[in-house]
Amino acid sequence: MDGYQISPTYDGADVVVVNTCGFIDSARDESLGAIGEAMNANGRVIVTGCLGVQADLIREAHPDVLAVTGPQQYEQVVAAVHESAPIDEAHNPFTDLLPPQGIKLTPRHYAYLKISEGCNHKCTFCIIPSMRGRLVSRHAGEILREAEQLVSSGVRELLVISQDTSAYGVDLKYSGDFWRDRLVTSNLKGLAEGLAELGVWVRLHYVYPYPHVDQIIPLMAERKLLPYLDIPFQHGSAKILKLMKRPAAAENTLARIKAWREICPDLTLRSTFIVGFPGETEEDFQQLLDFAGEAELDRVGCFRYSDVDGARANALPDAVPEEVKREREQRFMEFQAEISRGKLQGKVGTRQEVLIDSVDEQGAIGRSWADAPEIDGLVYVTDGQDLRPGDWVNVEIDEADEYDLSGRLVG
Ligand code: SF4
């Protein structure tokens, strides 16, 4: 970014930028904690991200932060950095030769690719639309050019993110855009086809099970996209999904998953669920377990419902007592652990392509195509001491638990 360099430690930084989330109370507390940590360790802190819209709250807890900016206020963040860490004229980053792709805040071999901002849905537990506004998609050509630059700078895995990836392009009326001298449609299929040409892993996050998502499953079966979908289902009871006002709540999701697996049998599905939403009865919870059992999801995260300031779900009747939420969370995670363990056991003896994330004297740690960074499992390569981060290798799996795999290099 303008030639500034990322410091791996607080000590070496002229200024610390803390990106925050204010989505749920625990995220807000975590963000305030991260600001406090940066203040203690460095003392020169700029706050950005969703919680930035609550500047008073931030300044009340941390009066000495240098600046507070809100979500998507890139120019304001950059201006605050310029002001707080003035340029050394001997190494002027505005005039030095810079890589046009700027910086990525992830290791060199993978990068997040944001395709849109905002959301048109109105999930009752969520305040993102009020913080970030309605969906604004980037044009397909612009995204694909950024993806090309990332790949040419060494990125081997692109993680496509947004608030609602399946809605991509609806605000652009799916208009065409130019890339590599041809017209590309700004919709999910057009974008996916373009990304599939780049020869790297392409992973899709935050997709909802709408009918048009069917169109990209053949690309996964052909391995042009990773056969992986991150779909936040949130519940399995039609009643609760309706109370949540979830996108695609009326779709027959189990039938859709079955049809997808017929086309792409090794499709990996990751999801998140909320237990203890207001009005959730034992019967609704049982439906959630039934859904998870039938869907046979590979990776699952579970959250206990909690009120979010400003969310409409706060006003719903029949709040679930905290101890019932905890008990359901535990039951759900135990139930899902069995499914995940069985799925991973099925990989023992198979050969997996693995992208290496880190290496030390114990070996290397990477991920198979079924694992997104930071949220899914790992593959421990016990004889991978000579590998480097970013290497793609084949690994024969000899052990599995409910999260991770381990194995040895082959080929
Ligand atoms: S889809 Fe729902 S939960 Fe996701 S950002 Fe939009 S309103 Fe929030």
Side-chain angles (χ1 to χ4, degrees):
M1 182 180 72
D2 289 347
Y4 287 98
Q5 299 216 327
I6 300 280
S7 164
T9 61
Y10 284 126
D11 284 352
D14 294 322
V15 65
V16 180
V17 179
V18 178
N19 194 14
T20 60
C21 175
F23 181 35
I24 53 175
D25 288 354
S26 57
R28 192 189 63 190
D29 295 347
E30 205 175 301
S31 295
L32 288 173
I35 298 167
E37 182 187 308
M39 285 299 292
N40 288 335
N42 182 286
R44 295 178 57 74
V45 175
I46 295 168
V47 180
T48 187
C50 293
L51 195 61
V53 295
Q54 298 183 52
D56 291 350
L57 184 116
I58 294 169
R59 290 205 179 277
E60 200 180 300
H62 303 290
D64 295 331
V65 295
L66 297 173
V68 179
T69 67
Q72 302 169 61
Q73 294 184 334
Y74 306 115
E75 292 79 10
Q76 287 90 329
V77 179
V78 173
V81 171
H82 286 166
E83 197 174 312
S84 312
I87 298 152
D88 172 359
E89 285 304 325
H91 301 282
N92 187 334
F94 290 108
T95 53
D96 284 349
L97 204 55
L98 296 176
Q101 68 274 13
I103 56 158
K104 306 173 270 94
L105 295 171
T106 46
R108 188 180 158 78
H109 59 281
Y110 67 84
Y112 293 92
L113 186 64
K114 192 157 204 171
I115 62 169
S116 63
E117 187 62 78
C119 179
N120 291 348
H121 296 293
K122 294 191 170 77
C123 301
T124 51
F125 56 79
C126 177
I127 54 169
I128 283 180
S130 64
M131 290 197 293
R132 301 203 162 190
R134 288 180 63 79
L135 180 89
V136 179
S137 303
R138 299 171 64 198
H139 287 276
E142 181 192 327
I143 299 170
L144 290 166
R145 277 187 288 280
E146 182 187 340
E148 274 180 317
Q149 285 181 343
L150 288 166
V151 171
S152 63
S153 73
V155 164
R156 296 189 144 196
E157 177 177 8
L158 293 166
L159 300 127
V160 173
I161 54 165
S162 67
Q163 259 83 48
D164 179 0
T165 296
S166 34
Y168 170 68
V170 67
D171 54 310
L172 300 174
K173 300 194 168 49
Y174 306 124
S175 58
D177 196 18
F178 279 97
W179 178 63
R180 290 185 173 173
D181 295 329
R182 68 167 203 263
L183 206 56
V184 180
T185 310
S186 292
N187 64 11
L188 185 58
K189 182 163 180 264
L191 185 63
E193 285 170 342
L195 293 170
E197 289 180 32
L198 301 180
V200 295
W201 283 5
V202 176
R203 193 183 294 283
L204 302 183
H205 290 276
Y206 313 118
V207 179
Y208 291 102
Y210 284 112
H212 68 278
V213 176
D214 298 355
Q215 298 171 357
I216 57 170
I217 305 298
L219 292 172
M220 296 183 174
E222 293 168 34
R223 288 291 190 273
K224 291 184 172 168
L225 301 177
L226 290 183
Y228 176 102
L229 279 173
D230 174 9
I231 308 179
F233 290 117
Q234 307 299 21
H235 216 281
S237 145
K239 180 191 101 185
I240 298 296
L241 288 168
K242 208 164 157 206
L243 286 172
M244 289 177 165
K245 292 208 182 325
R246 288 296 288 162
E251 298 291 331
N252 187 342
T253 304
L254 288 171
R256 172 141 288 123
I257 291 173
K258 189 162 175 274
W260 288 347
R261 287 201 171 121
E262 270 160 26
I263 299 167
C264 183
D266 52 1
L267 176 67
T268 289
L269 291 176
R270 137 166 279 278
S271 190
T272 48
F273 291 89
I274 296 173
V275 292
F277 191 78
E280 184 189 74
T281 60
E282 177 59 30
E283 191 185 338
D284 296 317
F285 177 67
Q286 197 57 52
Q287 285 176 21
L288 166 55
L289 294 184
D290 292 347
F291 176 87
E294 275 198 57
E296 288 194 57
L297 305 172
D298 299 78
R299 305 282 186 188
V300 162
C302 178
F303 299 92
R304 292 191 303 277
Y305 172 80
S306 68
D307 281 351
V308 175
D309 269 354
R312 285 170 305 146
N314 304 357
L316 288 173
D318 304 319
V320 177
E322 211 47 48
E323 69 269 18
V324 176
K325 288 184 199 169
R326 278 181 204 285
E327 183 254 347
R328 287 182 185 164
E329 175 189 39
Q330 197 182 342
R331 275 164 67 199
F332 180 76
M333 289 315 283
E334 280 167 10
F335 180 83
Q336 179 58 40
E338 276 304 303
I339 297 174
S340 300
R341 192 178 296 123
K343 290 221 157 201
L344 288 190
Q345 278 300 330
K347 295 190 179 182
V348 173
T350 65
R351 205 172 265 210
Q352 299 286 328
E353 191 181 14
V354 171
L355 180 59
I356 298 300
D357 284 333
S358 63
V359 181
D360 63 20
E361 63 281 1
Q362 314 272 324
I365 301 176
R367 292 170 292 107
S368 74
W369 52 260
D371 299 302
E374 288 163 43
I375 51 175
D376 293 330
L378 302 171
V379 181
Y380 293 92
V381 187
T382 48
D383 56 351
Q385 287 82 354
D386 296 333
L387 299 173
R388 286 175 311 176
D391 283 348
W392 264 312
V393 291
N394 284 315
V395 176
E396 186 155 311
I397 304 301
D398 49 36
E399 257 183 75
D401 61 20
E402 71 207 58
Y403 300 111
D404 303 322
L405 300 170
S406 71
R408 301 177 69 81
L409 292 169
V410 281

